[in-house]
Amino acid sequence: MDRSKEGLMVDTLGVAVVGFGWMGRVHSQAYARVPHHYPQLGLRPELVTVADEVPGRAEEAAARFGFATAVRDWREVVADPRVRAVSITAPNFLHREIGVAMAEAGKHIWIEKPVGLTVTDARAVADAVAKAGVQGTVGFNYRNAPAVESARRLIADGEIGTVTHVRVRLFSDYAAHPEGALTWRYERERGGSGVLGDLASHGVDLARYLLGDITSLTADTAVFVPERARPTGATAGHSRASGGELGPVENEDYVNCLLRFASGARGVLEACRVSVGEQNNYGFEVHGTKGAVFWDFRRMNELGVSRGDRYQDQPVSTVYMGPGEGEYEAFQPGSANAMGYDDLKVIEAYRFLSSIAEGASHGATLADAVHSAAALDAMARSAESGGWADVHRGG
């Protein structure tokens, strides 16, 4: 326990990051920024250990970001008494094993979506967290945007009437290049359901966050780039490879889906990782009986709002986010100043640390991950059968 410049008593929390690709860097930067944006938080993260199996990567991360220790094997983090909380940013197929092990060791976890490859994986991590009595936060970062939180409030307050339907889109080109390396992301055994777990998981979380539970759906999927070259060395992010041995892409490039909600609303969700000309085109349109709200991640701090009693020819106003909307005030002093993607992860880190400090969940939880994974499993079943599938969260 030490004293901050503001005179508050601050408890130091030892944290580790497991898996140091791009997302591992984002988590590390978020921990470093939390005290600057949230000086009132009585818990200050200390970067203790970074783990990555790629030779030299953990050592480089420690040198750049100030971790006290660098290790190759994540199991050393499990046994490290200095570590009280862990960010799990390793590949999807490792989420369940690492998440369960960390929770059983009594460590709080901030884990990236989709929390494993299946709903069974997500539920196993959720059960381990609950049994251990630790906190678990999931990386559904788009719900942290002040405009998204504003949209949720407007919907809940009945400002657009009864919600009738929603369209959620997640289009990107990160896998569009035919020379994109055949990494674990494109393998069923290690990457799971492809764009379903990578992008549609976010779409499901946004839809549930805004409209409530999804009860059933019907989906269609496709692979548009069927072969890629195998990489010859370690990869990070979305690397390219050319001239190597070609191998099959085993999971989905694209999904479109019709949704039915418990409320009676209907929805459309569409996601693609090979959309040439699209870069992070993520967003939603929610329509109600008296109005609508519109959000585009690329204009993250703006919300389109239509409300009133005209019904026909009712105008749409652009509302700029400002202090009082979500966590905006922690980052900018006045309306229409820009926030960015990394700010959403700082908010996520703050809510994770607040959950630990208060012993009560803030932000997206493992239960949200289980709901998302259940919808993804239903999409896969529906695409295979050609019919509607119920979303079974299970127990």
Side-chain angles (χ1 to χ4, degrees), residues 27-46:
H27 277 231
S28 300
Q29 291 162 181
Y31 284 127
R33 290 178 58 194
V34 163
H36 301 287
H37 294 281
Y38 298 97
Q40 77 279 10
L41 181 64
L43 198 59
R44 182 154 297 175
E46 179 183 3

Side-chain angles (χ1 to χ4, degrees), residues 127-151:
D127 289 347
V129 164
K131 184 176 180 180
V134 297
Q135 294 297 320
T137 292
V138 179
F140 289 128
N141 41 264
Y142 298 109
R143 63 158 62 190
N144 298 328
V148 174
E149 295 189 316
S150 178

